[in-house]
PDB file of all heavy atoms in Angstrom:
ATOM      1  N   GLN A  34     121.055  73.544 -33.185  1.00  0.00           N
ATOM      2  CA  GLN A  34     119.640  73.967 -33.461  1.00  0.00           C
ATOM      3  C   GLN A  34     119.096  73.290 -34.684  1.00  0.00           C
ATOM      4  O   GLN A  34     117.981  72.894 -34.744  1.00  0.00           O
ATOM      5  CB  GLN A  34     119.619  75.474 -33.604  1.00  0.00           C
ATOM      6  CG  GLN A  34     119.772  76.313 -32.386  1.00  0.00           C
ATOM      7  CD  GLN A  34     118.696  76.079 -31.420  1.00  0.00           C
ATOM      8  OE1 GLN A  34     117.557  76.084 -31.696  1.00  0.00           O
ATOM      9  NE2 GLN A  34     118.986  75.765 -30.196  1.00  0.00           N
ATOM     10  N   LEU A  35     119.950  73.214 -35.756  1.00  0.00           N
ATOM     11  CA  LEU A  35     119.456  72.633 -37.076  1.00  0.00           C
ATOM     12  C   LEU A  35     119.301  71.152 -36.891  1.00  0.00           C
ATOM     13  O   LEU A  35     118.312  70.472 -37.287  1.00  0.00           O
ATOM     14  CB  LEU A  35     120.448  72.933 -38.115  1.00  0.00           C
ATOM     15  CG  LEU A  35     120.651  74.329 -38.579  1.00  0.00           C
ATOM     16  CD1 LEU A  35     121.683  74.463 -39.633  1.00  0.00           C
ATOM     17  CD2 LEU A  35     119.341  75.001 -38.989  1.00  0.00           C
ATOM     18  N   TYR A  36     120.228  70.577 -36.124  1.00  0.00           N
ATOM     19  CA  TYR A  36     120.153  69.058 -35.897  1.00  0.00           C
ATOM     20  C   TYR A  36     118.944  68.673 -35.063  1.00  0.00           C
ATOM     21  O   TYR A  36     118.511  67.556 -35.146  1.00  0.00           O
ATOM     22  CB  TYR A  36     121.429  68.559 -35.389  1.00  0.00           C
ATOM     23  CG  TYR A  36     122.590  68.655 -36.400  1.00  0.00           C
ATOM     24  CD1 TYR A  36     123.990  68.836 -35.881  1.00  0.00           C
ATOM     25  CD2 TYR A  36     122.424  68.654 -37.739  1.00  0.00           C
ATOM     26  CE1 TYR A  36     125.042  69.019 -36.825  1.00  0.00           C
ATOM     27  CE2 TYR A  36     123.440  68.789 -38.671  1.00  0.00           C
ATOM     28  CZ  TYR A  36     124.780  68.938 -38.176  1.00  0.00           C
ATOM     29  OH  TYR A  36     125.762  69.109 -39.047  1.00  0.00           O
ATOM     30  N   ARG A  37     118.489  69.628 -34.204  1.00  0.00           N
ATOM     31  CA  ARG A  37     117.342  69.344 -33.402  1.00  0.00           C
ATOM     32  C   ARG A  37     116.074  69.075 -34.413  1.00  0.00           C
ATOM     33  O   ARG A  37     115.224  68.300 -34.141  1.00  0.00           O
ATOM     34  CB  ARG A  37     117.021  70.545 -32.469  1.00  0.00           C
ATOM     35  CG  ARG A  37     115.879  70.242 -31.479  1.00  0.00           C
ATOM     36  CD  ARG A  37     115.213  71.502 -31.065  1.00  0.00           C
ATOM     37  NE  ARG A  37     116.122  72.197 -30.153  1.00  0.00           N
ATOM     38  CZ  ARG A  37     115.944  72.207 -28.815  1.00  0.00           C
ATOM     39  NH1 ARG A  37     114.993  71.476 -28.215  1.00  0.00           N
ATOM     40  NH2 ARG A  37     116.770  72.927 -27.990  1.00  0.00           N
ATOM     41  N   GLU A  38     116.042  69.905 -35.482  1.00  0.00           N
ATOM     42  CA  GLU A  38     115.097  69.789 -36.524  1.00  0.00           C
ATOM     43  C   GLU A  38     115.288  68.385 -37.262  1.00  0.00           C
ATOM     44  O   GLU A  38     114.362  67.720 -37.530  1.00  0.00           O
ATOM     45  CB  GLU A  38     115.087  70.886 -37.549  1.00  0.00           C
ATOM     46  CG  GLU A  38     114.566  72.199 -36.961  1.00  0.00           C
ATOM     47  CD  GLU A  38     113.044  72.138 -36.708  1.00  0.00           C
ATOM     48  OE1 GLU A  38     112.338  71.642 -37.547  1.00  0.00           O
ATOM     49  OE2 GLU A  38     112.695  72.509 -35.565  1.00  0.00           O
ATOM     50  N   TYR A  39     116.565  68.187 -37.608  1.00  0.00           N
ATOM     51  CA  TYR A  39     116.941  67.061 -38.364  1.00  0.00           C
ATOM     52  C   TYR A  39     116.527  65.782 -37.659  1.00  0.00           C
ATOM     53  O   TYR A  39     116.037  64.849 -38.306  1.00  0.00           O
ATOM     54  CB  TYR A  39     118.419  67.046 -38.669  1.00  0.00           C
ATOM     55  CG  TYR A  39     118.988  66.067 -39.572  1.00  0.00           C
ATOM     56  CD1 TYR A  39     118.988  66.180 -40.946  1.00  0.00           C
ATOM     57  CD2 TYR A  39     119.532  64.817 -39.089  1.00  0.00           C
ATOM     58  CE1 TYR A  39     119.503  65.185 -41.783  1.00  0.00           C
ATOM     59  CE2 TYR A  39     120.021  63.792 -39.894  1.00  0.00           C
ATOM     60  CZ  TYR A  39     119.972  64.031 -41.328  1.00  0.00           C
ATOM     61  OH  TYR A  39     120.488  63.121 -42.143  1.00  0.00           O
ATOM     62  N   PHE A  40     116.757  65.710 -36.327  1.00  0.00           N
ATOM     63  CA  PHE A  40     116.423  64.479 -35.602  1.00  0.00           C
ATOM     64  C   PHE A  40     115.100  64.698 -34.806  1.00  0.00           C
ATOM     65  O   PHE A  40     115.030  64.156 -33.685  1.00  0.00           O
ATOM     66  CB  PHE A  40     117.565  64.222 -34.580  1.00  0.00           C
ATOM     67  CG  PHE A  40     118.881  63.875 -35.199  1.00  0.00           C
ATOM     68  CD1 PHE A  40     120.006  64.719 -35.007  1.00  0.00           C
ATOM     69  CD2 PHE A  40     119.045  62.719 -35.876  1.00  0.00           C
ATOM     70  CE1 PHE A  40     121.199  64.340 -35.568  1.00  0.00           C
ATOM     71  CE2 PHE A  40     120.286  62.379 -36.449  1.00  0.00           C
ATOM     72  CZ  PHE A  40     121.361  63.204 -36.300  1.00  0.00           C
ATOM     73  N   LYS A  41     114.183  65.426 -35.373  1.00  0.00           N
ATOM     74  CA  LYS A  41     113.009  65.818 -34.552  1.00  0.00           C
ATOM     75  C   LYS A  41     112.229  64.649 -33.909  1.00  0.00           C
ATOM     76  O   LYS A  41     111.633  64.840 -32.865  1.00  0.00           O
ATOM     77  CB  LYS A  41     112.069  66.779 -35.291  1.00  0.00           C
ATOM     78  CG  LYS A  41     111.514  66.232 -36.542  1.00  0.00           C
ATOM     79  CD  LYS A  41     110.718  67.374 -37.182  1.00  0.00           C
ATOM     80  CE  LYS A  41     110.470  66.997 -38.634  1.00  0.00           C
ATOM     81  NZ  LYS A  41     110.283  68.133 -39.491  1.00  0.00           N
ATOM     82  N   ASP A  42     112.251  63.418 -34.491  1.00  0.00           N
ATOM     83  CA  ASP A  42     111.641  62.316 -33.975  1.00  0.00           C
ATOM     84  C   ASP A  42     112.449  61.525 -32.942  1.00  0.00           C
ATOM     85  O   ASP A  42     112.014  60.646 -32.317  1.00  0.00           O
ATOM     86  CB  ASP A  42     111.121  61.345 -35.046  1.00  0.00           C
ATOM     87  CG  ASP A  42     110.162  62.093 -36.030  1.00  0.00           C
ATOM     88  OD1 ASP A  42     109.471  62.964 -35.536  1.00  0.00           O
ATOM     89  OD2 ASP A  42     110.267  61.797 -37.229  1.00  0.00           O
ATOM     90  N   ASP A  43     113.766  61.941 -32.820  1.00  0.00           N
ATOM     91  CA  ASP A  43     114.618  61.079 -31.975  1.00  0.00           C
ATOM     92  C   ASP A  43     115.156  61.903 -30.738  1.00  0.00           C
ATOM     93  O   ASP A  43     116.092  61.545 -30.150  1.00  0.00           O
ATOM     94  CB  ASP A  43     115.835  60.622 -32.773  1.00  0.00           C
ATOM     95  CG  ASP A  43     115.374  59.805 -33.941  1.00  0.00           C
ATOM     96  OD1 ASP A  43     114.993  58.712 -33.607  1.00  0.00           O
ATOM     97  OD2 ASP A  43     115.379  60.304 -35.113  1.00  0.00           O
ATOM     98  N   LYS A  44     114.395  62.914 -30.410  1.00  0.00           N
ATOM     99  CA  LYS A  44     114.655  63.688 -29.116  1.00  0.00           C
ATOM    100  C   LYS A  44     116.109  64.068 -28.997  1.00  0.00           C
ATOM    101  O   LYS A  44     116.729  63.902 -27.875  1.00  0.00           O
ATOM    102  CB  LYS A  44     114.198  62.806 -27.951  1.00  0.00           C
ATOM    103  CG  LYS A  44     112.682  62.591 -27.896  1.00  0.00           C
ATOM    104  CD  LYS A  44     112.299  61.677 -26.799  1.00  0.00           C
ATOM    105  CE  LYS A  44     110.840  61.301 -26.865  1.00  0.00           C
ATOM    106  NZ  LYS A  44     110.544  60.100 -26.136  1.00  0.00           N
ATOM    107  N   TYR A  45     116.722  64.540 -29.995  1.00  0.00           N
ATOM    108  CA  TYR A  45     118.087  65.100 -29.930  1.00  0.00           C
ATOM    109  C   TYR A  45     118.070  66.341 -29.219  1.00  0.00           C
ATOM    110  O   TYR A  45     117.419  67.331 -29.532  1.00  0.00           O
ATOM    111  CB  TYR A  45     118.714  65.208 -31.244  1.00  0.00           C
ATOM    112  CG  TYR A  45     119.976  66.013 -31.243  1.00  0.00           C
ATOM    113  CD1 TYR A  45     121.196  65.484 -30.745  1.00  0.00           C
ATOM    114  CD2 TYR A  45     120.053  67.312 -31.794  1.00  0.00           C
ATOM    115  CE1 TYR A  45     122.306  66.291 -30.688  1.00  0.00           C
ATOM    116  CE2 TYR A  45     121.241  68.072 -31.810  1.00  0.00           C
ATOM    117  CZ  TYR A  45     122.347  67.535 -31.211  1.00  0.00           C
ATOM    118  OH  TYR A  45     123.430  68.218 -31.171  1.00  0.00           O
ATOM    119  N   VAL A  46     118.806  66.471 -28.139  1.00  0.00           N
ATOM    120  CA  VAL A  46     118.956  67.752 -27.328  1.00  0.00           C
ATOM    121  C   VAL A  46     120.381  68.432 -27.613  1.00  0.00           C
ATOM    122  O   VAL A  46     121.342  67.787 -27.282  1.00  0.00           O
ATOM    123  CB  VAL A  46     118.789  67.497 -25.905  1.00  0.00           C
ATOM    124  CG1 VAL A  46     118.817  68.830 -25.137  1.00  0.00           C
ATOM    125  CG2 VAL A  46     117.424  66.805 -25.590  1.00  0.00           C
TER     126      VAL A  46
END
Side-chain angles (χ1 to χ4, degrees):
Chain A
Q34 286 295 310
L35 297 178
Y36 294 149
R37 190 203 285 260
E38 285 297 310
Y39 186 86
F40 294 116
K41 58 186 163 206
D42 300 326
D43 298 288
K44 295 175 187 159
Y45 164 72
V46 180

